[in-house]
Amino acid sequence: MDDRKGDVMGMVHFIGAGPGDPELLTIKGQRLIARADLVLYAGSLVPPEVVACARPGARVVDSAPLSLDQTHALIMETVRQGGSVARVHTGDPSLYGAIREQMDLLAREGVSCAVVPGVTSACAAAALAGRSYTVPGVTQTLILTRLAGRTPVPEAESLRSLAAHGSAMCVYLSAGDPEGVQRELLAGGLAPATLVIVAHRVGWPDQAVAETDLAHLAPTARARGFTRQTVFLVLPGQGGHDAASARSLLYDPEFSHMFRT
């Protein structure tokens, strides 16, 4: 199928930039940015290097200081002139990307749009730390969530409620209150010895990770100065020998499947 049919004039693409490393931008995302007439990127979280592939003559605008109405006006100005727009978000647009309200405004104007996925920080942080969220016999579930703050969280999705599942977690948008993250996870029943990876500015040149336990989550984050652009990987049951010795059945010679009898 010819993928180019979406690259028509007047089209808006919401593109996941990944966590910061320009090489983690997808080939499709890079191609669409290179063809766009307007490249609108969240400069507070997306490095300029990610959009450096914009063509000469394209308008490249940092949306960090702009409101929703202002970004929409810029997009509509380009679309009404028959141009194409690359709206570039950090990570993956579907996760804390605030794309729903932007797409609703475009729909009211009859403007076509599409979403190009990106590498989210949860995956990039696990890769940087050399860790897996899922471990046979330990946990097979990953929860992506955040601590309640200026943006409220439903009570059923509070950090302590989710921690009670004992699943692996990646906690976003909460680095400003590491004490709150630690307190809520402990209140949810996780053991103080639970392995925690604190990952800071993943994908950027100054990226860093610190391995600690839940009892020392907040002191570690504070001591390292990880108070923004940081995610917390919470990995129950992974700090000891049992998790290290767990093996997937996929490669077990005694485990048969359609490709191996």
Side-chain angles (χ1 to χ4, degrees), residues 94-213:
S94 69
L95 189 61
Y96 306 118
I99 62 171
R100 180 183 56 81
E101 51 264 50
Q102 297 178 75
M103 296 175 77
D104 285 347
L105 289 175
L106 293 174
R108 292 175 197 170
E109 304 268 9
V111 177
S112 298
C113 62
V115 180
V116 179
V119 177
T120 188
S121 294
C123 297
L128 180 62
R131 291 284 180 174
S132 173
Y133 288 110
T134 57
V135 177
V138 179
T139 182
Q140 293 291 288
T141 301
L142 169 62
I143 296 174
L144 306 180
T145 189
R146 60 169 297 165
L147 184 69
R150 293 176 63 185
T151 298
V153 172
E155 181 58 34
E157 298 177 9
S158 69
L159 207 52
R160 70 174 62 191
S161 295
L162 297 177
H165 292 282
S167 304
M169 305 176 74
C170 184
V171 183
Y172 284 71
L173 302 171
S174 305
D177 185 12
E179 292 80 11
V181 174
Q182 179 177 316
R183 180 184 63 250
E184 291 300 296
L185 293 174
L186 288 170
L190 290 178
T194 300
L195 176 64
V196 175
I197 306 294
V198 187
H200 175 66
R201 286 174 62 83
V202 178
W204 293 66
D206 58 345
Q207 66 181 3
V209 293
E211 186 170 306
T212 185
D213 56 33

Side-chain angles (χ1 to χ4, degrees), residues 2 48 68 71 97-98 103 131 174 202 208 238 251:
D2 190 352
L68 174 62
T71 59
M103 296 175 77
R131 291 284 180 174
S174 305
V202 178
Q238 292 203 41
Y251 300 108

Side-chain angles (χ1 to χ4, degrees), residues 223-240:
R224 297 292 297 270
F226 296 171
T227 56
R228 63 186 303 269
Q229 289 182 256
T230 298
V231 290
F232 301 98
L233 284 58
V234 184
L235 306 172
Q238 292 203 41

